[in-house]
């Protein structure tokens, strides 16, 4: 009887892990099906979206540069948010360069099924920094939830005040920065501010993607795409990888545009964003992976075990 308690807890942990694994598999399959369906939609409706396809034959160099540059800038911006949240949950500071490398590798790996990037990042923090997986996992999930909230807020702003989307964005930014004056809220406040600025870069990136298809997005439309993309990307088990976001952007494009090919154009625009991300993240991610691998190997056998055991026992 004395050992029944720990055994029951261990078996419950195993069952919970299996359930999460099943949900990850199911979500990955759904995301893959949605991605294949999105590609099929674009290819099979080429005639309906002839204008968009013709635009890609002579793409705007400026739009391509903006698309690639914003994709690069989103890496350190995301790293700042991740680093601040990890410091909030674990008390450990991770440098911007190291976190940017982790974000690059995780973004690249998360294009594969079952979120290998997020899981690998949690394992890296355990080995290199001695951060318990629970604390690193809470940081990852918290960033997702904040992104979901910020995306929903941006969509609400666009819906309530479409003509004043930029002014509303600036007003909310000022309000968020103001909350950072309270020491107890400072780290979380700056995480939220960073995620809010992240949406601005995402909106510019979507405007560039639609511009490549000869569709001009006004500020409210670009904000709507950024908010929709963020919400779709934050959906548990499905949103982290390709598939759902393409259809969400297509739906939003159809909702705010009267073009007959709006759904196809929206899906095409998000696929362009996905391709630009891959073009940027592939070389950066490969170089970051090599550097992080050496750092990981040098850390094996020298983990601050006393701190890790203490943190695990407190958790």
């Amino acid at each position: 009887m004395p050992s029944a308690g720990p055994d029951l807890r261990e078996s419950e942990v195993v069952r919970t892990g299996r359930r999460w694994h099943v949900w990850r598999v199911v979500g990955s399959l759904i995301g893959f099906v949605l991605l294949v369906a999105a590609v099929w939609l674009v290819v099979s409706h080429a005639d309906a979206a002839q204008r968009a396809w013709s635009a890609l034959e002579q793409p705007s160099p400026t739009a391509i540069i903006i698309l690639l540059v914003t994709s690069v800038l989103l890496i350190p911006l995301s790293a700042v948010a991740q680093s601040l949240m990890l410091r909030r949950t674990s008390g450990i500071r991770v440098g911007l360069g190291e976190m940017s490398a982790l974000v690059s590798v995780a973004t690249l790996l998360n294009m594969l099924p079952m979120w290998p990037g997020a899981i690998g990042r949690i394992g890296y923090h355990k080995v290199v920094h001695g951060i318990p997986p629970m604390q690193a996992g809470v940081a990852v999930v918290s960033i997702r939830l904040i992104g979901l909230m910020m995306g929903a807020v941006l969509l609400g702003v666009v819906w309530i005040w479409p003509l004043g989307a930029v002014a509303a964005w600036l007003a909310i930014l000022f309000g968020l920065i103001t909350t950072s004056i309270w020491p107890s809220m400072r780290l979380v406040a700056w995480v939220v501010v960073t995620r809010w600025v992240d949406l601005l870069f995402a909106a510019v990136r979507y405007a560039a993607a639609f511009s490549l298809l000869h569709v001009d997005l006004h500020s409210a439309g670009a904000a709507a795409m950024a908010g929709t993309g963020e919400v779709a990307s934050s959906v548990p088990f499905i949103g982290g990888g390709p598939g759902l976001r393409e259809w969400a952007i297509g739906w939003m494009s159809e909702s705010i545009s009267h073009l007959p090919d709006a759904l196809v154009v929206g899906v095409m625009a998000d696929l362009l964003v996905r391709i630009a991300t891959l073009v940027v993240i592939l070389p950066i991610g490969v170089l970051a992976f090599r550097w992080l691998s050496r750092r990981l190997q040098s850390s094996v056998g020298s983990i601050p075990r006393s701190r890790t055991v203490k943190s695990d026992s407190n958790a």
Side-chain angles (χ1 to χ4, degrees), residues 132 134-135 310-315:
M134 180 61 71
Q135 295 177 2
K310 182 179 179 181
S311 299
D312 285 334
S313 61
N314 290 336

Side-chain angles (χ1 to χ4, degrees), residues 1-312:
M1 291 299 293
S3 61
D7 289 343
L8 286 175
R9 284 195 296 270
E10 184 177 353
S11 62
E12 180 61 29
V13 169
V14 172
R15 286 195 296 269
T16 301
R18 288 174 179 172
R19 285 195 296 267
W20 277 84
H21 180 73
V22 169
W23 279 110
R24 284 169 52 213
V25 171
V26 172
S28 298
L29 290 175
I30 294 174
F32 178 75
V33 171
L34 289 173
L35 178 62
V36 172
V39 174
W40 175 84
L41 175 75
V42 170
V43 173
S44 63
H45 290 73
D47 293 337
Q50 185 60 44
R51 185 187 61 161
W53 282 105
S54 299
L56 289 177
E57 294 177 358
Q58 295 181 330
S60 165
T62 302
I64 293 176
I65 292 173
I66 293 174
L67 195 60
L68 295 176
V69 169
T70 50
S71 297
V72 172
L73 293 176
L74 283 169
I75 296 173
L77 197 59
S78 177
V80 169
Q82 294 284 352
S83 183
L84 289 172
M85 184 55 70
L86 189 64
R87 182 181 169 191
R88 178 69 175 82
T89 60
S90 68
I92 296 175
R93 188 193 300 267
V94 178
L96 179 60
E98 183 179 2
M99 187 60 81
S100 296
L102 282 168
V103 168
S104 301
V105 175
T107 302
L108 182 60
L109 292 177
N110 281 340
M111 292 186 177
L112 301 173
M114 298 180 63
W115 286 10
I119 296 171
R121 187 167 58 194
I122 292 171
Y124 175 90
H125 288 311
K126 170 69 174 178
V127 173
V128 175
H129 300 290
I131 300 175
M134 180 61 71
Q135 295 177 2
V138 168
V140 172
V141 173
S142 297
I143 290 293
R144 286 287 183 186
L145 292 177
I146 291 173
L148 177 63
M149 180 181 66
M150 291 292 95
V153 169
L154 185 58
L155 287 174
V157 167
V158 173
W159 181 68
I160 294 172
W161 195 16
L163 297 180
V166 175
W169 183 89
L170 289 171
I172 292 174
L173 177 64
F174 177 77
L176 292 173
I177 293 175
T178 302
T179 60
S180 65
I181 63 176
W182 285 279
S184 61
M185 298 179 59
R186 186 164 298 154
L187 282 178
V188 175
W190 280 111
V191 171
V192 177
V193 168
T194 305
R195 297 297 289 154
W196 190 242
V197 175
D198 186 292
L199 288 172
L200 173 64
F201 283 93
V204 173
R205 185 166 64 167
Y206 274 114
F210 276 91
S211 177
L212 282 173
L213 303 175
H214 286 183
V215 176
D216 294 327
L217 281 184
H218 47 76
S219 58
M225 297 303 169
T228 301
E230 186 63 42
V231 170
S233 297
S234 302
V235 174
F237 305 110
I238 304 176
L244 181 62
R245 198 184 73 187
E246 284 78 2
W247 286 99
I249 294 298
W251 170 80
M252 179 56 70
S253 178
E254 196 172 38
S255 299
I256 66 176
S257 173
H258 299 291
L259 297 174
D261 57 350
L263 175 63
V264 182
V265 170
V267 172
M268 288 179 67
D270 196 73
L271 288 173
L272 288 176
V273 170
R274 191 78 70 180
I275 293 171
T277 302
L278 183 60
V279 168
V280 166
I281 214 69
L282 186 58
I284 296 177
V286 170
L287 292 175
F289 179 79
R290 295 182 62 182
W291 180 74
L292 291 172
S293 296
R294 289 195 295 268
R295 180 161 170 74
L296 188 64
Q297 291 171 2
S298 65
S299 298
V300 173
S302 59
I303 308 172
R305 296 185 181 278
S306 58
R307 185 183 65 187
T308 306
V309 171
K310 182 179 179 181
S311 299
D312 285 334

